[in-house]
Amino acid sequence: MSHWLTDWIVPLLSTIDFTTLNGSFGKVLTGVSQVDDALKATNGTYRGTGGSGAMEGFLFAFGLIPSVMFALAMINVLEHYGALNAARKLLSVILRPLLGIPGVTGLAIIGSLQSTDVGASLTRALADEQKINAKEKEVLTMFQFSGGVMITNFFSSGAVLFTLVLASGELAVPTTIGACIGVIFIMKIVGANIMRLYLTTFPDKDEQEQQPSSTATEK
């Protein structure tokens, strides 16, 4: 089973992973040092080292452009082929009772698990096209905000804790990665529903008059 997982399933899933599709910048030479009699080159990101102020902020923002462009292009292509309408009908059965949002937000939810830029850009596009109303936008935003970029952050910085071993030989973290992911995902749903309850208890009458519910468009 582990052989099929590493040789087939993981590579197959990686081909549809947003991070893989989005790619990455190349490395640039950031420093050279001498170790014994040999020169050792150090490579870094295209931003280099030592940046500050608005210049550094510009380069950081420049790095966000490809993922936002790719996400917006994806939603336009998927909309052209009717994928958003299909998602709206299929996922509304789950997302409407669970979070109170339409199924068309499914792509934004999945994208936000890997990148805040993708989730934000897709949510903005849905709001601009009036596929979701103000209340649904805020509930969706709360879902993305709590435990943001769950998959990327957890596996890049949290998963390493599962390799720690105590002096007694036992694992330092007495649980599984799947259990941690499950708790984070459940708490994201709880957080979104707290916002949903707040907006239901204290509705913004001006926004309700300006933007009718998207429930009618699901039919």
Side-chain angles (χ1 to χ4, degrees):
M1 181 62 185
S2 59
H3 171 74
W4 281 92
L5 183 65
T6 55
D7 291 353
W8 294 96
I9 298 178
V10 172
L12 180 62
L13 292 177
S14 67
T15 60
I16 58 175
D17 181 81
F18 180 82
T19 304
T20 302
L21 295 174
N22 194 41
S24 63
F25 290 106
K27 300 292 184 182
V28 297
L29 183 66
T30 57
V32 178
S33 59
Q34 184 170 2
V35 180
D36 295 331
D37 295 332
L39 292 178
K40 181 180 180 181
T42 304
N43 294 321
T45 65
Y46 77 96
R47 294 168 59 187
T49 59
S52 63
M55 292 291 187
E56 175 69 5
F58 174 79
L59 284 180
F60 176 77
F62 187 77
L64 302 179
I65 294 176
S67 59
V68 174
M69 289 176 60
F70 183 53
L72 293 177
M74 279 185 60
I75 197 170
N76 285 322
V77 172
L78 293 172
E79 185 176 18
H80 175 76
Y81 287 104
L84 293 184
N85 289 329
R88 180 185 298 117
K89 294 178 180 178
L90 295 175
L91 297 180
S92 288
V93 179
I94 300 173
L95 293 178
R96 182 62 73 184
L98 189 65
L99 295 171
I101 54 180
V104 72
T105 59
L107 290 176
I109 289 177
I110 295 172
S112 70
L113 299 180
Q114 301 184 61
S115 170
T116 54
D117 310 321
V118 174
S121 58
L122 292 180
T123 302
R124 172 64 185 272
L126 293 173
D128 289 345
E129 296 175 6
Q130 297 186 347
K131 296 184 182 299
I132 55 175
N133 59 33
K135 178 183 177 183
E136 292 163 347
K137 181 181 67 176
E138 293 176 6
V139 172
L140 177 59
T141 302
M142 175 55 72
F143 178 87
Q144 299 176 29
F145 177 77
S146 56
V149 201
M150 180 183 73
I151 294 178
T152 303
N153 286 341
F154 183 83
F155 284 100
S156 63
S157 58
V160 67
L161 296 176
F162 290 85
T163 63
L164 299 179
V165 180
L166 299 175
S168 61
E170 299 178 351
L171 293 175
V173 181
T175 185
T176 63
I177 292 178
C180 293
I181 292 289
V183 170
I184 296 173
F185 194 76
I186 291 173
M187 295 312 297
K188 286 170 71 69
I189 295 174
V190 172
N193 276 284
I194 291 175
M195 173 60 77
R196 180 183 175 187
L197 177 63
Y198 176 82
L199 295 174
T200 302
T201 307
F202 306 101
D204 190 327
K205 296 181 180 179
D206 294 336
E207 290 183 344
Q208 285 185 337
E209 293 176 355
Q210 295 174 0
Q211 293 183 316
S213 171
S214 64
T215 304
T217 64
E218 296 174 7
K219 301 178 181 178

